[in-house]
Amino acid sequence: MITAKVTPAAIPQPPAELQRVPLVANNRSFGWISNQVAGLCEGKAPMWWWVMFVPSFLALCMLGFMLSYQVSTGVGVWGNMRPVMWAWDIVNFVWWIGIGHAGTLISAILFLLRQRWRTGVNRAAEAMTIFAVMCAGIYPAMHVGRVWYDWWLFPIPNSNSIWPQFRSPLMWDVFAVSTYFTVSVLFWYMGLIPDLAVMRDRAKTKLRQFLYGLFALGWTGSNRHWSNYEKAYLILAGLSTPLVLSVHSIVSLDFAVSQLPGWHTTIFPPYFVAGAVFSGFATGTRA
């Protein structure tokens, strides 16, 4: 039996003015992209990295010195005094929390909307969130003055069975920020698992293979792994999005529940959230 060869019909192309610019130029293969990205981790650190690292490390050392000075001298160095009970610490706390929120919004909402171009910015956005929340956590911990009593902020009854004061906004901040930080780290780490498996397979030393394999959690790229990965990533993205609204609303209550005129108002939660989105997106766009 002779069958005629069937050729697929030509797919009509849209006119030139309607064609989109490709997201990745030159039709590069996935192998070429993996080589370019992994090469930054596998090779020696370039000179520009050291040029940026040394000033950053010196700034970190200055932070440790200034925090030591603050603990030894007192919170008055921040301007905290009667009647100014919140000064340098609350300003920086709110600013860093606001910066961190947009990182989650950029990554989580773009994932929920299935925007493919998010893969070019999600790593920087998620890392920005984690480091911003870490910076923000310094100020509530240090503003108490006696930092060695910070563990009293956690719901652990001490030897006298005295629990923390849950009516204090400082306690609300502890729970809100710690929850937000935990979800942000899980969201960031979940997205790294396939990449860590790629680095594990490319590793040339036993130590790197062990460490990358440990953090890759046995990833093989099977259909079952990808299915579970998509479900977990979707859940974390869904949790991260409302957390942006709830966390900064709780942070704003530091001001709103006070009895000071101009602060004791209900507009603060939506006002703080809106400000956080604008300031954070500005930082995320530059990153």
XYZ file of all heavy atoms in Angstrom, residues 151-152 156-163:
93
model
N 15.579 37.497 74.141
C 14.874 36.220 74.099
C 13.545 36.285 74.849
O 12.670 35.440 74.668
C 15.744 35.107 74.671
C 16.079 35.249 76.119
C 17.082 35.984 76.655
C 15.415 34.615 77.223
N 17.106 35.856 78.024
C 16.081 35.013 78.400
C 14.332 33.746 77.327
C 15.687 34.594 79.667
C 13.951 33.311 78.589
C 14.616 33.742 79.732
N 13.347 37.327 75.663
C 12.068 37.502 76.340
C 10.951 37.851 75.352
O 9.765 37.744 75.682
C 12.173 38.613 77.381
C 12.874 38.158 78.630
C 13.560 36.983 78.802
C 12.966 38.859 79.863
N 14.077 36.904 80.061
C 13.734 38.048 80.754
C 12.501 40.083 80.326
C 14.025 38.426 82.048
C 12.790 40.464 81.619
C 13.540 39.648 82.475
N 8.299 32.205 75.309
C 8.914 31.180 76.152
C 8.809 31.673 77.593
O 9.449 32.671 77.946
C 10.389 30.945 75.779
C 10.527 30.609 74.294
C 10.989 29.832 76.634
C 11.963 30.528 73.820
N 8.015 31.041 78.438
C 7.911 31.512 79.828
C 9.247 31.356 80.549
O 9.927 30.339 80.421
C 6.828 30.610 80.425
C 6.839 29.385 79.560
C 7.201 29.851 78.184
N 9.645 32.389 81.279
C 10.915 32.323 81.988
C 10.740 31.574 83.302
O 9.707 30.941 83.568
C 11.482 33.732 82.202
C 10.518 34.616 82.970
O 9.696 34.145 83.742
N 10.626 35.923 82.750
N 11.740 31.634 84.163
C 11.713 30.849 85.395
C 10.582 31.264 86.328
O 10.169 30.488 87.196
C 13.059 30.977 86.112
O 13.335 32.345 86.401
N 10.084 32.485 86.152
C 8.967 32.944 86.981
C 7.612 32.754 86.300
O 6.604 33.284 86.766
C 9.149 34.429 87.327
C 10.384 34.681 88.161
O 10.732 33.881 89.034
N 11.067 35.792 87.886
N 7.611 32.007 85.174
C 6.386 31.738 84.417
C 5.705 33.022 83.961
O 4.478 33.137 83.945
C 5.410 30.893 85.253
O 5.975 29.636 85.577
N 6.508 34.007 83.604
C 5.988 35.270 83.089
C 6.082 35.238 81.569
O 7.173 35.087 81.012
C 6.775 36.468 83.656
C 6.662 36.496 85.188
C 6.258 37.777 83.055
C 7.497 37.589 85.831
N 4.950 35.395 80.896
C 4.919 35.370 79.445
C 5.121 36.779 78.893
O 4.932 37.765 79.608
C 3.584 34.821 78.947
C 3.463 33.347 79.104
C 3.141 32.670 80.246
C 3.667 32.358 78.096
N 3.125 31.328 80.017
C 3.451 31.103 78.705
C 4.021 32.401 76.754
C 3.573 29.909 78.008
C 4.132 31.220 76.055
C 3.918 29.989 76.679
